[in-house]
Amino acid sequence: MQTTMTSLLTADSPTVMTQTTPHLCIEAVTKCFGSFTALDNISLTIKEGEFVCFLGPSGCGKTTLLRTIAGLARQTSGTLNQRGNDISTLPPQARDFGIVFQSYALFPNLTVFNNVAYGLRNRRVDRARINARVAELLALVNLSGSEQKYPAALSGGQQQRVALARALATEPGLLLLDEPLSALDARVRGHLRSQIKALQARLGVTTIMVTHDQEEALTMADRIVVMNHGVIEQVGTPAEIYHQPASAFVASFIGTMNFLDVAVHSAEQVTLAAVRLTCLPHCLPVGGAARLAVRPEAVALTRQVGGLAGEVTDIEFLGAFQRVTLQLAGANQTLLADVPSRDSTTLGLHMGQTLGIHLPAEAARLYPAGSNTL
Amino acid sequence: MTDSSLPKAFPKSLPRRGVNVAPEALIRLLVLLAGVALLVVGLLFPLFAMLVKSVQDRSGDFIGLANFIRYFQTPALVNSIANSLSVALMATVSVVSLAFLCAYGITRTCMPGKRLFRMLAILPILAPSLLPAISLVYLFGNQGFLRDVLAGHSIYGPIGIVMGMSFWIFPHALMLLTTALTNSDARLYEAAEALGTPKWRTFLTITLPGVRYGLISCLFVVFTLAITDFGVPKIIGGQFSVLATDVYRQVVGQQNFQMGAVVSVILLLPAVLSFIVDRWIQRRQVAQLSARAVPWQPTPSPLRDWTFALLCYAVAGIILLVIGTAVYASLIQFWPYNLSFTLQHYTFQGLGGGGWGAWFNSLKLAFSVALIGTLVIFFNAWLIEKSEGYRPLRQGLHFMAMLPMAVPGMVLGLAYIFFFNQAGNPLNWLYGTMAILVLNTLVHFYTVCHLTSVTALKQLDPEFEAVGASLKVPFWTTFSRVTLPVSLPAVLDISVYLFVNAMTTVSAVVFLYNSDTRLASVAVLHLDEAGYFASAAAMAVLIFLTSLVVKLLHAALTHVLLNNAQRWRQAG
């Protein structure tokens, strides 16, 4: 197995190595379907060897963007550049990519072998090499010995891996994955997630995956592109996306987030329920309204009541921690706080209890009032 | 996984862009244009030529609506409109009500012998519509052995026409209604039962609404078939003229092409109207289907089951009686005077009409249409359904593919005369050849094949073509290695449909054959006209048997193919 990896690695050698050279440059791409704008002036650079996830709710344009990159949909305006070649007007056949669809689109009347060899046949490569290559790919996805089976005889996870092997067979410079895991059940999904990620890291092939599953994106991607309504909301590493969401939409779409209506008091302070709170420097107009976003796990609860306080109205048991709903004193707003099981004993957590609330400045982010969440 | 040098060297030799892309896009465009050209030349131009002809006088000068005015001032012609409407309506009512009862028996009861009945009920489709008409003459004609049943009424006229039409349209209606009644949702019936709803109310509130689109669609299909049919009224109509026979009489009898065109335009109207209604209904129906429906299973109920069984057996008995009469008539010396057995009527010697030569011509036509038509229609449907780009062209092709359904055979045949027989038409050489018969028949039966193809293609994964393209495989390879094999059952259905129709059709081709390309169905017509009734019956039976054999071969072939395909269709 080790030899396989190395050989494949060397095989693809130009694609690996330099993480900084751009593989794909998307420049001001817009796609309209009639009067509906599916992609609105998208610009994005994807580096060589990178694993990028397009993440967003359904209808946000992520699949359209993927299909535009593949040439399956033609952009209304804008350009695409792959490794320095302008591919904006090329048909899919002339572009360099492999693709795995949500449905896998395995050819039902062909065996696993013929599915994987489908793209090789056409290149007039001799039979022995095709056999070797298919065997190598099937070993790579742990399906050696299934050559003569038909897709219908395979489980969903196995079909998915055949589709992956077929897409990789022709050594594409770019691998496109269109919600590759969404048709599988949860257990298989978790397993395949790490397999695909490991395979990608090993081969170093530049990969773009479309998903609506934030967990998938957070665990697999080098960088995440969060999209909504045809525009990019934020591009960043999973940690950046989670901890420093650039917009209220990103903040609400990834993980759980409290949004509290506050009044801006100064460049570093806001007022919530008549209590003045410190926050990170911002440039929202003083005296206006704003929304303070803070994750439940960042909220600290104390038994000393002074400053911000709230009454416990609901306690939800979630195993490792408990999710507490608090009604803020002096304001008609609720707040969620995650309390680790150990701390809940110290607090003596119970319904109707009034607790002190501390919102750490470095964990809270401020967004303009009225900004859209999910 | 042993020799690491092999994979290392391997990719270098892979050409990155195996396919030359520009030709592929070009080829795609060219075949699309060829498909459009086929229907423009084979359908639009002829229809246009016919419309032009209807507003010209004999010397070819434009005279506005003068022909139409003359038509409506000629009572002999105008009467045909009422005649056509009345027989078509009567046939529609009788066929649809009978077919509904039989379809209900098949789908909603536990009556015994369902499979046998369904097989027998298909038989009329395999015969030309001339066959029931000939049989009816033997049964109820002046010397028919069931003459007294009619209580003095003549079979030559509306009674015979309605009976003959009902016979050969019945299978069409039965298939449509069986499909409609099969789509049931058991959950609705369970809910009704749980609420204590009486059976009749369940039927009115669940069953009927569930099939209403299928029922309306069936009504229009049957009406169109009835009003445009030529074979039955030609043989048994007597002095009772209908629109379809008027077209024939004007053109072949009186050589009055302008008036033929006028009657054609009038015949086109009801067909176009029912076509539009049908399309409108089809569009509405889509929203009705629920993927979660649980099919309803009938439970035994002896009284109901046997009532429907007896009805269906009676229908099957009539079908066998009609076909049997034609077979019998073709095998005896001279009805009713000499009933001894003979095969002489199958020699067709010394009679006009072509004899076995005509049968061979029909066979040639049917095989050509089945082969060429299947490939062309399926490939065109694939271009429309599965390719990117050239949207206006693809939509135009789809629209034209739907049109032939609205064009009666008589109209299409006459339109071909006007278009291809024009002096100065570069395609004039086609006139009088087998090629024009192939083209005409292909276009005539295009729509049903197109719809079958589209349905089959829609069931395929929409990304097959995208995967092929991403692997740099030209589209024709994916078409021939994946799409075509996976759709093979539908493709076979199309080819047998085309074969049987090419074998049995008479309406369009009656204008287009010449002495070298006489067809069996036309021969039936001519033998009957010349008074050789037994030979006409023999030829009709010959056509029926040919279709039957091909249909059985098709069933066997489908069975074998599906068995082979089981390996991948239901593996695991």
Side-chain angles (χ1 to χ4, degrees), chain A residues 27-328:
Chain A
E27 203 88 47
V29 163
T30 296
K31 170 76 184 172
C32 303
F33 296 105
S35 61
F36 174 72
T37 307
L39 295 175
D40 190 1
N41 200 20
I42 300 276
S43 292
L44 180 67
T45 301
I46 290 162
K47 285 173 274 187
E48 202 67 72
E50 202 178 15
F51 195 128
V52 174
C53 271
F54 294 170
L55 176 66
S58 53
C60 72
K62 55 190 192 300
T63 298
T64 308
L65 183 55
L66 190 84
R67 295 182 74 90
T68 308
I69 293 169
L72 299 169
R74 179 65 54 87
Q75 68 278 12
T76 312
S77 64
T79 59
L80 295 140
N81 222 292
Q82 190 177 17
R83 283 180 174 157
N85 302 319
D86 185 5
I87 57 164
S88 314
T89 58
L90 293 182
Q93 291 89 330
R95 300 188 186 193
D96 178 23
F97 71 96
I99 190 162
V100 175
F101 287 103
Q102 186 172 4
S103 64
Y104 318 140
L106 292 179
F107 304 131
N109 59 327
L110 302 182
T111 58
V112 168
F113 179 92
N114 282 327
N115 263 288
V116 176
Y118 197 80
L120 299 172
R121 284 267 179 96
N122 194 48
R123 306 191 169 197
R124 300 194 182 82
V125 191
D126 66 65
R127 191 83 201 171
R129 278 182 171 189
I130 291 179
N131 290 347
R133 178 72 178 147
V134 172
E136 180 187 30
L137 285 158
L138 288 179
L140 199 65
V141 296
N142 294 329
L143 278 171
S144 295
S146 300
E147 283 85 349
Q148 295 315 316
K149 289 185 184 165
Y150 286 94
L154 302 178
S155 72
Q158 289 170 327
Q159 290 185 20
Q160 207 275 339
R161 284 182 279 151
V162 175
L164 194 61
R166 181 178 65 182
L168 290 170
T170 51
E171 304 278 333
L174 176 64
L175 180 62
L176 304 176
L177 307 171
D178 184 7
E179 306 236 8
L181 300 173
S182 60
L184 301 169
D185 63 58
R187 202 176 44 82
V188 182
R189 197 157 48 202
H191 178 64
L192 266 177
R193 203 190 277 166
S194 48
Q195 253 199 330
I196 293 177
K197 177 63 188 158
L199 192 69
Q200 189 272 338
R202 218 188 288 155
L203 300 178
V205 54
T206 311
T207 302
I208 300 173
M209 181 172 92
V210 161
T211 181
H212 64 265
D213 182 341
Q214 44 160 310
E215 204 179 307
E216 222 164 87
L218 291 171
T219 52
M220 294 172 80
D222 296 329
R223 280 198 302 159
I224 297 175
V225 177
V226 185
M227 295 181 65
N228 192 30
H229 296 312
V231 298
I232 293 179
E233 293 270 340
Q234 185 174 10
V235 182
T237 64
E240 284 167 0
I241 299 280
Y242 189 81
H243 293 298
Q244 293 136 39
S247 65
F249 169 80
V250 178
S252 65
F253 188 69
I254 312 281
T256 313
M257 185 64 92
N258 287 300
F259 283 97
L260 299 165
D261 293 326
V262 295
V264 177
H265 184 260
S266 70
E268 291 184 27
Q269 281 190 315
V270 295
T271 316
L272 170 62
V275 181
R276 204 153 297 160
L277 303 169
T278 311
C279 63
L280 294 175
H282 62 85
C283 43
L284 294 174
V286 171
R291 306 187 76 191
L292 187 72
V294 60
R295 299 217 178 264
E297 72 265 23
V299 177
L301 299 180
T302 56
R303 299 184 73 164
Q304 292 87 32
V305 180
L308 197 58
E311 186 195 337
V312 177
T313 57
D314 188 36
I315 303 172
E316 197 181 351
F317 179 73
L318 289 167
F321 61 90
Q322 295 177 44
R323 179 156 290 172
V324 181
T325 310
L326 297 130
Q327 176 73 40
L328 291 188

